Amino acid sequence: MRPIHWFDSIGSTMTYAAQLAAEHHPHGTVVGADEQRQGQGRYGRAWHSEKGTGLYFSEILRLPLKPDALPVVTLALGLATVEAIATVTGLSCDLRWPNDLLAGDKKCAGILVQLQNSAIIAGIGINVNQVAFPDEISGLATSLRIQSGREQSKEKLLAALLTSIDTHCDILVEEGKDKILQMFTAVSTYARGRRVFVDLGERTIEGTTAGLTPYGFLLVRLDNGKLETVLAGGVRPCS
Ligand code: BTN
């Protein structure tokens, strides 16, 4: 049986899962909550974690991988989330490198991966049954309920997603990074041939996506012909 620690309300499932990982809890341990008071997104942003409507959890993964596989683990988790959402709701989501799931061009789920010594803490947040969002994110965010027109089961989604995470981790460990990169490129409209802005923090670039490197980084062809490797950054469509 998989250990599941579920809370009515928690600060962040990332923090608690990291604590359990530091205490040597096993691979597959899940920490979830109906509400997060300090949900964490990438780059220190907050993750809106309204009570009862979203799915918020972190899983401890102990995988026989080198640390340089971490970016590809993020991509594998995105693929797992796309598969689980399709299975349970019938919705087909896009993946925006590295870790945004989009439905109807708005974000419906995000993935945060952190290392705790040799353990990976895989945090997944899915907007499941929200019917509205705070003003500051309402133009960017959507939910599976809004997109499908009906309420969705968080329990079914969690069960499908935990199975799908196992499957995609097995693919990564047994078939290697290249297989996950191929799968991501096949599913994501952002991986190749998409006109984008990328916020690199100290500067912004504009260009056309040109595939992924063997380590899972995004290649962007600038208009001067130069190829930029994006290690981390916020990718947005040029519309
Ligand atoms: C992002 O797209 O910025 C990543 C969002 C990750 C959110 C999830 S919700 C469960 C887990 N706990 C957190 O505090 N964050 C992740």
Side-chain angles (χ1 to χ4, degrees), residues 41 116 126 177 189 198 201 203 224:
Q116 172 64 48
I126 306 181
K177 294 202 290 285
T189 68
V198 187
R203 69 198 165 98
N224 63 10

Side-chain angles (χ1 to χ4, degrees), residues 14-237:
M14 295 304 283
T15 312
Y16 195 78
Q19 198 178 313
L20 295 187
E23 292 166 5
H24 310 292
H25 285 246
H27 172 81
T29 299
V30 170
V31 176
D34 292 335
E35 172 193 47
Q36 296 187 114
R37 298 181 304 276
Q38 279 128 10
Q40 302 167 15
R42 288 170 75 215
Y43 305 124
R45 293 192 196 115
W47 182 258
H48 174 66
S49 306
E50 177 185 279
K51 192 171 185 73
T53 53
L55 180 60
Y56 320 113
F57 73 96
S58 301
E59 180 172 2
I60 298 173
L61 301 176
R62 297 186 186 279
L63 301 171
L65 295 170
K66 295 193 193 134
D68 66 15
L70 202 60
V72 185
V73 173
T74 303
L75 305 182
L77 291 166
L79 288 164
T81 311
V82 167
E83 181 180 83
I85 289 174
T87 303
V88 173
T89 70
L91 291 169
S92 56
C93 295
D94 196 1
L95 277 165
R96 183 171 60 199
W97 184 92
N99 69 350
D100 293 341
L101 271 82
L102 305 176
D105 285 336
K106 290 186 173 182
K107 183 158 168 171
C108 64
I111 290 154
L112 184 64
V113 174
Q114 294 174 349
L115 271 181
Q116 172 64 48
N117 298 331
S118 59
I120 294 164
I121 311 298
I124 302 186
I126 306 181
N127 300 332
V128 183
N129 286 319
Q130 286 89 341
V131 289
F133 290 90
D135 287 349
E136 58 274 21
I137 56 168
S138 64
L140 303 171
T142 189
S143 72
L144 304 183
R145 178 171 177 169
I146 292 170
Q147 292 298 317
S148 65
R150 62 197 155 85
E151 192 161 346
Q152 298 291 344
S153 162
K154 287 192 294 165
E155 293 71 23
K156 282 187 189 160
L157 209 46
L158 178 63
L161 185 45
L162 293 176
T163 302
S164 193
I165 290 172
D166 287 347
T167 306
H168 286 81
C169 287
D170 287 352
I171 293 172
L172 177 56
V173 169
E174 285 159 24
E175 299 182 47
K177 294 202 290 285
D178 281 357
K179 180 68 186 172
I180 294 294
L181 297 176
Q182 275 168 25
M183 291 168 74
F184 189 93
T185 307
V187 167
S188 168
T189 68
Y190 277 83
R192 194 179 282 283
R194 185 89 188 238
R195 195 79 194 153
V196 292
F197 294 115
V198 187
D199 179 359
L200 299 172
E202 76 288 359
R203 69 198 165 98
T204 301
I205 58 169
E206 181 178 347
T208 305
T209 58
L212 302 173
T213 74
Y215 289 97
F217 301 123
L218 183 66
L219 292 167
V220 177
R221 176 80 61 193
L222 307 185
D223 293 340
N224 63 10
K226 190 177 161 230
L227 203 54
E228 282 253 6
T229 301
V230 180
L231 306 182
V235 176
R236 293 288 173 270

